[in-house]
Amino acid sequence: MSIVSSIQKNVTAGLSALYNQSITEKDFQINQTKPEFEGDYTIVMFALVKSLKQSPDSIGNQLGGYLIKTYPELFSNFNIIKGFLNLSVTNTFWTNLLQKNYANAGYGRKEKNGKKVMVEYASPNTNKPLHLGHLRNIFLGWSVAEIYKANGYEVIKTCIVNDRGIHICKSMIAWQKYANGATPQSTGIKGDHLVGDYYVRFENDLKAESQVLINKINLGDLCDFSGVALEKLDKLLIALTKLDEIKDEEKIAKLHDEIKEIARNNTSVMAEAKQMLLDWEEGKPAVIDLWKKMNGWVYEGFDITYKRIGTDFDKIYYESKTYLLGKYIVQQGLDKTVFFKKEDGSIWIDLTADGLDEKLVQRKDGTSVYITQDIGLALQKYEEYKIDSSIYVIGNEQNYHMKVLQLICKKLGMANADNIFHLSYGMVELTTGKMKSREGTVVDADDIVDEMIATSQMHTEELGKVKDFTVEELKDLYDTIGLGAMKFYLLRVDPKKTMVFNAEESIDFHGFTGPFVQYTHARIKSILRKEPLANNQQALTSSNLLKLEKELIVILEQYPEAIEQAAIEHNPSIIAMYVFNLAKTFNSFYTEHSIANAETGNKKQLRLQLAVMTANTLNSGMELLGTRVPERM
RNA sequence: GACUUGGUAGCUCAGCUGGAUAGAGCAUCAGCCUUCUAAGCUGAGGGUCAUUGGUUCGAAUCCAAUCCAGGUCACCA
C-alpha cells in the first residue's frame, strides 16, 4: 500500500476515534508538503471544519497528536500553519522502504490479475510509408501495452492492416503506367517507399486532370459532366454566384472544395482506379496478383521500420479478410432488426435515439464500408482471444466513428462492448503548420529515425566517452540513444493533446529528454562498477536522512502509483514525467553528496542502495516507454 | 450551423476529482570539471493561468457567457 493511502486510512481511523463521526477518505485531501514548510504530507483542515464544527487549528492539533501517538513508527512530528496540518514521516519508514525494495527489479509492477486486454495500434494503409503521426501512434500503443502488462494484465498487441480499398488501387494504377516493372530489388528503394512514390504519382496525375476540369467549370463549361454530378455542379455554381455578393469566404471555399471533389471523381484516372477496385472485388487474377505483389513490398518495408523502432505485434489482422465477417454480421443484425434496409437495398442503423444520426453499414451494391469491417473485427477479437477489454489507439479525428462503433457493438449484444476504449490521440503538427501529404509536408518515419540516430552518433563522438566500444556496441548505443530521444519526445506529452513537433527541439538531448534519463542511468552504473553493493548487508540503522536522500526515497515510493495511474489514464506521459523527475533528483543528489566517499560506512551503504534502486526504477520506467537504458554512454 | 477538444512564461509542455507565494524543460543571463561520467549541477530574470461574471473560508482548477484555435458531422479509409 502506498504511503498516501496508509495515511488516509490512519486519518480516517483517527477522526472516527476522536470525534465519533464517520469521515470517509473523500472528505479530506492529502498533499505533499510544500518545500518551504516542515513536514512530508499535508492535510487541509478546512474541509473538515463543517462536519466537525471545530476550528481548523483545533482539529489539526488533536489529529496530529493522535497520529504520532498511535502510529509512532510512521509519524515523527507535526505542525499546523494556517489550517494546514503538516505531518513528518519517520526516517525509519523511509529507510525500511529502501531496504525492502532496492534490489527488486520488479518494483512497482503488479501480480497477474488474470485479465486479458487487446491493444490495437499502428494500423497503416498499404499505399504509402509510415510517417511521424504513425510513430506517435505506435509508440503510444506499445507503451500502453507495456503499462498494462506492468499492471498485471495479459496483453495481446495487434494491428489491423488496411490493405484493401481505392488507395492501394491508386498506387497500382500508377505503377502499371510508369514503373516499367520496377521493384524494390531492381531500384534499391524500400518497398513501402516505392509504392508510396507511385501513389504520389497517381495523385499528381489526378490533380492535373482535375485542374483542367475545374478550369472549364469556372468558365461555365460543364460538357464533361452528366447525371447526378451535373445536377450538383449546377446547384453549386448557382450558390456561388449568390455568395459572391455576400463575400462569406469560408462558405465560398467550402463550395469550391465540393466542386473540386466532383471534378476529381470525374477524371479518367479516378475511373481507372474505381474499375480496378471492382476487378479486385471480383477477384480478377491479374489484379489480385499485382495487389499481392505490391502489398508484399509494403509489408517488407514496414517490417524493416518496425524492427528498427523495436515494435512488433502478437497478431495481425487484414482488412481484406475481416470485411467478409463484417458483412456476415450485418446480415445477422438485420435479422435481429438491429439494422434496417432502405428501399435501394442499402443497410443502416438508426442511432437517433442515442443522439447520433443514421449510419450506413452496407452500400446498396452490397459492398462493405469502413465501419462494416470494424464491426466484424471487434467481434472477432473477442471470440478469438476471449479478451476482457479492447484498446484502440486511433487518432482523435475518428472520435465519432469510434463512438458509433461502440454503440453498434452494444446493440448487437456484444458482451464486453462497454470495455472498448478508444485511446484517442491528437495530431502531430509541425512548427510550420500541419502535415499534409498532398502538399508534401509529411515527415517520413524512416527519415526522422535516421536523423535521430545520426544526431546521437554525433553527440556521442563529440563527447568521446566510449572510444573503447566495438563497432557493434557503438551502433547499438546510437540506436538506443536516438530512439530513446525520439520515443521520449513523442510520449512525454499527454496523448489526448495535439502536439507540435519541433525538429530542433527533438534533437536536443538535454533537459526533459530520453538521453537525460539514459545518461543518469549510465552514471549510476559507472559508480556501481567501481563500488559494487555487497549482498549480505546488515540492516541500516536509521540515522538522520539528508534532505536529498529523503527526497529520492520519497520519489521512489511514488513509482507504483505512477504505473497504476498511467494505466487508468492510458497515459505514458505520466511515466515519462516520473522518470525525468527521478533522474533530476538523483542528479542533484549526485552533485551534492559523494557515494564512494560517504561520511560513514553506513551512509555509503544507504547511498549505494539508493543508487541501485534509482537505476532499477529508471530502467523499469523507460522500459514502459519502449526505451532501453545503456550501461555506458 | 450542431457536436467535440483545447487556450497557463518568448517556445514546448505539467498542474485541472478546488488548498499555502502557479511549476518543468528549451531559449536568455551569471556561476561550477586535478575527487563517483559536465548528455550534469547551482542561481537569476521571465505570468492579467484567453476575457467577463458566478459559486466559497479559498478558483488556473467547478459553473455560465463570450472570444480565439483544432477536429468531426461521406454510399473515403
Side-chain angles (χ1 to χ4, degrees):
Chain A
M1 190 182 351
S2 77
I3 176 137
V4 172
S5 24
S6 308
I7 296 177
Q8 265 175 348
K9 245 177 101 183
N10 296 345
V11 169
T12 337
L15 289 172
S16 77
L18 288 168
Y19 302 102
N20 203 18
Q21 278 203 36
S22 63
I23 302 283
T24 69
E25 292 170 8
K26 280 173 194 158
D27 295 328
F28 60 92
Q29 278 187 358
I30 295 173
N31 305 313
Q32 272 195 278
T33 304
K34 300 243 167 193
E36 57 269 31
F37 301 103
E38 194 191 324
D40 299 311
Y41 294 92
T42 297
I43 303 168
V44 185
M45 292 292 110
F46 292 104
L48 300 167
V49 168
K50 254 188 193 163
S51 46
L52 300 182
K53 298 191 178 80
Q54 291 199 35
S55 77
D57 286 10
S58 144
I59 302 170
N61 260 312
Q62 293 180 49
L63 181 61
Y66 175 90
L67 288 174
I68 41 173
K69 209 175 101 192
T70 319
Y71 309 100
E73 73 292 344
L74 188 55
F75 302 109
S76 60
N77 216 338
F78 75 94
N79 65 75
I80 297 148
I81 298 168
K82 291 198 289 182
F84 293 84
L85 170 62
N86 300 319
L87 295 163
S88 300
V89 174
T90 60
N91 283 340
T92 322
F93 174 84
W94 297 119
T95 46
N96 281 349
L97 185 109
L98 178 63
Q99 290 244 298
K100 220 174 113 192
N101 296 299
Y102 76 91
N104 174 12
Y107 172 65
R109 293 169 188 246
K110 288 190 186 160
E111 298 289 313
K112 288 240 173 303
N113 63 15
K115 285 187 179 158
K116 256 190 215 178
V117 57
M118 199 160 208
V119 182
E120 177 192 303
Y121 61 101
S123 304
N125 289 343
T126 56
N127 62 328
K128 49 190 166 187
L130 304 173
H131 57 72
L132 194 50
H134 290 111
L135 289 182
R136 188 178 196 192
N137 179 312
I138 291 168
F139 296 155
L140 270 174
W142 177 274
S143 181
V144 167
E146 291 301 312
I147 288 166
Y148 265 79
K149 279 186 205 167
N151 276 281
Y153 291 80
E154 184 186 335
V155 177
I156 299 129
K157 290 174 291 186
T158 188
C159 172
I160 168 80
V161 180
N162 300 309
D163 60 345
R164 172 196 97 93
I166 195 85
H167 50 87
I168 178 69
C169 292
K170 289 177 179 178
S171 294
M172 286 158 67
I173 296 272
W175 186 85
Q176 279 181 329
K177 267 189 202 163
Y178 302 113
N180 270 324
T183 67
Q185 288 74 29
S186 75
T187 56
I189 298 173
K190 207 162 152 276
D192 50 338
H193 287 261
L194 184 76
V195 172
D197 288 345
Y198 288 102
Y199 181 75
V200 171
R201 195 86 186 244
F202 179 94
E203 284 293 329
N204 287 342
D205 283 359
L206 177 58
K207 199 174 173 184
E209 197 184 335
S210 57
Q211 192 55 53
V212 173
L213 289 177
I214 292 169
N215 289 345
K216 281 171 94 176
I217 294 168
N218 287 341
L219 293 171
D221 178 358
L222 305 182
C223 68
D224 297 296
F225 298 89
S226 62
V228 185
L230 184 60
E231 277 174 37
K232 274 190 189 167
L233 273 179
D234 267 331
K235 277 184 195 162
L236 284 170
L237 287 174
I238 291 166
L240 262 179
T241 51
K242 282 180 189 161
L243 276 173
D244 269 344
E245 293 156 22
I246 312 167
K247 291 204 170 76
D248 183 339
E249 285 185 21
E250 209 173 297
K251 275 193 181 162
I252 292 173
K254 220 174 183 177
L255 292 177
H256 279 294
D257 277 350
E258 280 182 50
I259 291 175
K260 194 169 158 189
E261 208 50 44
I262 292 172
R264 284 168 62 90
N265 274 320
N266 214 52
T267 53
S268 66
V269 280
M270 208 55 201
E272 285 177 76
K274 281 178 184 166
Q275 183 57 47
M276 186 174 259
L277 186 61
L278 286 175
D279 291 346
W280 184 91
E281 296 218 358
E282 278 170 27
K284 275 197 180 168
V287 174
I288 296 290
D289 284 350
L290 179 60
W291 174 73
K292 278 187 182 161
K293 182 161 77 179
M294 290 183 71
N295 267 340
W297 296 341
V298 173
Y299 299 148
E300 280 169 31
F302 283 172
D303 282 344
I304 291 170
T305 306
Y306 290 150
K307 203 171 170 198
R308 229 166 141 223
I309 62 177
T311 204
D312 61 18
F313 306 96
D314 302 310
K315 168 77 185 183
I316 294 182
Y317 291 103
Y318 296 92
E319 190 190 305
S320 54
K321 291 176 185 151
T322 58
Y323 83 105
L324 291 170
L325 179 63
K327 280 163 81 166
Y328 173 73
I329 290 168
V330 167
Q331 278 310 317
Q332 282 188 322
L334 202 54
D335 298 340
K336 285 193 265 177
T337 69
V338 174
F339 304 120
F340 67 93
K341 203 175 233 177
K342 287 199 178 173
E343 284 169 7
D344 64 0
S346 58
I347 302 176
W348 297 71
I349 186 165
D350 183 1
L351 301 173
T352 47
D354 300 277
L356 306 177
D357 290 329
E358 287 185 354
K359 179 87 182 173
L360 177 95
V361 293
Q362 188 170 307
R363 296 192 187 99
K364 60 176 176 254
D365 61 6
T367 56
S368 73
V369 288
Y370 180 34
I371 202 152
T372 320
Q373 51 245 10
D374 273 352
I375 297 168
L377 183 56
L379 226 71
Q380 189 175 353
K381 283 176 172 179
Y382 278 97
E383 280 174 12
E384 206 171 339
Y385 287 93
K386 308 283 178 230
I387 51 176
D388 298 286
S389 52
S390 193
I391 297 173
Y392 290 75
V393 184
I394 300 178
N396 62 11
E397 74 273 16
Q398 294 194 36
N399 285 353
Y400 182 76
H401 174 82
M402 290 304 293
K403 205 169 159 186
V404 170
L405 176 64
Q406 180 159 19
L407 205 51
I408 291 178
C409 288
K410 222 184 261 188
K411 289 191 187 286
L412 284 170
M414 206 168 96
N416 282 316
D418 282 327
N419 294 340
I420 289 178
F421 180 80
H422 174 202
L423 172 41
S424 158
Y425 67 93
M427 310 254 115
V428 182
E429 291 180 1
L430 305 176
T431 41
T432 48
K434 284 187 202 164
M435 290 198 285
K436 286 180 182 160
S437 52
R438 280 184 193 176
E439 288 167 25
T441 53
V442 174
V443 176
D444 180 75
D446 292 314
D447 289 351
I448 192 75
V449 170
D450 280 345
E451 196 180 325
M452 297 299 277
I453 292 172
T455 307
S456 78
Q457 174 170 359
M458 190 190 78
H459 285 309
T460 307
E461 282 171 355
E462 262 173 26
L463 292 166
K465 291 178 184 175
V466 287
K467 287 182 175 157
D468 56 319
F469 271 31
T470 65
V471 178
E472 288 76 33
E473 284 172 332
L474 280 175
K475 194 186 165 299
D476 193 52
L477 181 62
Y478 301 152
D479 280 2
T480 303
I481 299 173
L483 285 171
M486 184 80 222
K487 292 183 183 181
F488 200 93
Y489 185 84
L490 289 174
L491 290 176
R492 69 183 196 184
V493 185
D494 186 337
K496 289 193 291 291
K497 293 197 175 173
T498 303
M499 68 172 288
V500 175
F501 182 87
N502 181 327
E504 261 176 60
E505 203 181 280
S506 69
I507 53 165
D508 183 0
F509 289 180
H510 303 270
F512 188 20
T513 67
F516 172 88
V517 178
Q518 292 172 323
Y519 173 73
T520 310
H521 178 265
R523 229 179 185 187
I524 297 173
K525 286 295 173 165
S526 167
I527 300 169
L528 295 176
R529 274 192 297 274
K530 289 169 189 159
E531 300 282 348
L533 178 64
N535 282 330
N536 53 342
Q537 289 299 327
Q538 74 284 18
L540 289 171
T541 54
S542 64
S543 50
N544 55 328
L545 276 174
L546 294 174
K547 187 167 167 280
L548 282 166
E549 291 167 344
K550 189 161 101 179
E551 240 173 79
L552 250 187
I553 307 179
V554 169
I555 292 176
L556 286 166
E557 194 273 335
Q558 294 162 356
Y559 184 54
E561 170 89 32
I563 293 183
E564 213 177 295
Q565 202 57 31
I568 291 171
E569 293 183 25
H570 302 88
N571 183 355
S573 81
I574 290 174
I575 301 293
M577 287 187 287
Y578 174 83
V579 123
F580 169 67
N581 203 8
L582 176 61
K584 203 167 63 127
T585 308
F586 182 86
N587 281 326
S588 297
F589 160 74
Y590 174 93
T591 21
E592 280 302 306
H593 308 292
S594 174
I595 295 171
N597 300 314
E599 295 79 354
T600 65
N602 207 321
K603 267 276 144 138
K604 182 168 172 179
Q605 171 68 9
L606 176 105
R607 289 181 188 167
L608 280 171
Q609 289 183 352
L610 262 177
V612 169
M613 190 165 171
T614 303
N616 281 344
T617 307
L618 290 177
N619 185 7
S620 165
M622 289 292 265
E623 218 171 76
L624 296 181
L625 301 176
T627 301
R628 290 183 291 160
V629 285
E631 295 292 305
R632 289 177 58 195
M633 67 186 275

